[in-house]
Amino acid sequence: MSAEDSRLNNDTAAPASATSAVLVRSERVPEGTKLIRGYDFEDGVDYNKLLGSYMTTGFQATSFGQAVDIVNKMRQWRLSDEPVAKGDSNEERDPEYRRNVKCKIFLGYTSNLVSSGIRETIKYLTKNCMIDVLVSTAGGVEEDFIRCIAPTYLGDFNLEGRTLRSKGLNRIGNIIVPNDNYCKFEDWILPIFDQALKEQQEDGVVWTPSKLIHRLGKEINHPDSIYYWAYKNNIPVYSPALTDGSLGDMLYFHSYRSPGLVLDVIQDIRAINNEAVFAKKTGMIILGGGLVKHHICNANLMRNGADFAVFVNTAQEFDGSDAGARPDEAVSWGKIKADADSVKVYADASLVFPLLVAQTFAKSG
């Protein structure tokens, strides 16, 4: 045995280099830091306490808990919480007026969510005037009306596309929409386009996507519809790419049947931007990414950023997509204020959004 081997076998103390590397001394954790603790099922099943425990569970559960806090802050804020500013008008100085000025809440969502059961959650918020501005894609508009006309079915992610196509069945994830639904949609909507064109030609009506959605909400006259309640409660709905879906297909067909209907998108961009510009406080809840996320964020750029923001989606930021961007990237653009309360929850909105509503809007009415 060599002298080195003998020394290694006979030493009773671990090498100092190893102990110093492994046993690094910790600094004191700041007082008041939350401890990690999940829900204890020994206490039975209490869903309110279970969801409340998410804040201290860690990972995306904690992000969900932060989202609950931020949405509740949006809902609770009043202008009376702020000091009177030097330039405030006499009306803005009135205590009663200040108590009644709320945070303006923008809700954005992608079309797949309206095809899913999340539609009913959005309808609840719209019916009860809990949201001030809605933004969706063309699919997020048309699918609401189509589901008033004909049903959508639960399917399976693994159903073969070729077989479904031969049967006239369209798949959205594990949701099935018969193609006949779109045929029925055409029968319903084309006469409304005829009337819109007549009003444009005879009365000088200037149609915008939001104005057309408002009319469609009136015409559907169905209590299950998001946009029926948006019409009833005069909640604006913006959809800047209204031609990108079945609605666009119908407008295309109508342009041959009765050419001339025009939609003015410039009026709508002015309208949604002014929703943000003239608000005292704004909050954004955005489910999914792409157009709806950017459209709401860009409107809030016009006021140098939203005060509250909750993003829920599964996109990652490594590819530079707007969908994947965290709230801090929006801060760099002036779309969220530097001192805003914001969080991104990396999760499927069909799992998370009903729970978020349960812990916020639905809890306090």
Side-chain angles (χ1 to χ4, degrees), residues 221-295:
N221 193 28
H222 197 298
D224 288 346
S225 168
I226 296 167
Y227 306 111
Y228 167 74
W229 290 108
Y231 156 73
K232 290 278 284 185
N233 294 326
N234 204 29
I235 296 171
V237 183
Y238 298 101
S239 186
L242 194 64
T243 56
D244 186 28
S246 183
L247 268 166
D249 299 343
M250 301 309 151
L251 288 165
Y252 169 72
F253 297 146
H254 189 264
S255 74
Y256 283 96
R257 167 176 154 166
S258 304
L261 183 62
V262 175
L263 296 180
D264 183 351
V265 297
I266 297 174
Q267 279 197 31
D268 267 7
I269 193 63
R270 172 172 170 151
I272 190 172
N273 286 354
N274 283 344
E275 295 281 0
V277 167
F278 295 108
K280 296 296 185 182
K281 211 84 161 176
T282 63
M284 309 187 297
I285 303 171
I286 304 176
L287 313 176
L291 179 143
V292 298
K293 183 169 182 274
H294 185 266
H295 203 56

Side-chain angles (χ1 to χ4, degrees), residues 40-65:
D40 187 350
F41 283 96
E42 295 291 348
D43 297 332
V45 179
D46 183 322
Y47 290 108
N48 183 52
K49 289 182 179 178
L50 171 62
L51 293 173
S53 75
Y54 277 26
M55 180 63 87
T56 57
T57 295
F59 308 134
Q60 292 310 300
T62 292
S63 295
F64 172 84

Side-chain angles (χ1 to χ4, degrees), residues 109-123:
Y109 45 91
T110 48
S111 66
N112 56 318
L113 297 177
V114 179
S115 301
S116 78
I118 298 301
R119 174 202 186 213
E120 280 63 46
T121 305
I122 298 168
K123 184 261 293 182

Side-chain angles (χ1 to χ4, degrees), residues 175-232:
I175 293 170
I176 297 296
V177 186
N179 209 60
D180 283 350
N181 291 18
Y182 297 97
C183 300
K184 294 172 183 175
F185 180 56
E186 179 184 19
D187 293 340
W188 174 74
I189 204 167
L190 287 182
I192 300 172
F193 288 167
D194 288 339
Q195 180 61 30
L197 177 59
K198 181 180 179 183
E199 292 176 23
Q200 175 187 296
Q201 294 173 334
E202 297 181 2
D203 304 325
V205 173
V206 179
W207 291 99
T208 66
S210 64
K211 192 178 291 185
L212 183 60
I213 295 165
H214 185 80
R215 171 62 67 83
L216 295 175
K218 176 183 179 181
E219 296 294 339
I220 198 66
N221 193 28
H222 197 298
D224 288 346
S225 168
I226 296 167
Y227 306 111
Y228 167 74
W229 290 108
Y231 156 73
K232 290 278 284 185

Side-chain angles (χ1 to χ4, degrees), residues 343-357:
V343 69
K344 175 173 176 175
V345 184
Y346 290 83
D348 174 2
S350 71
L351 283 169
V352 168
F353 192 53
L355 302 179
L356 181 60
V357 170

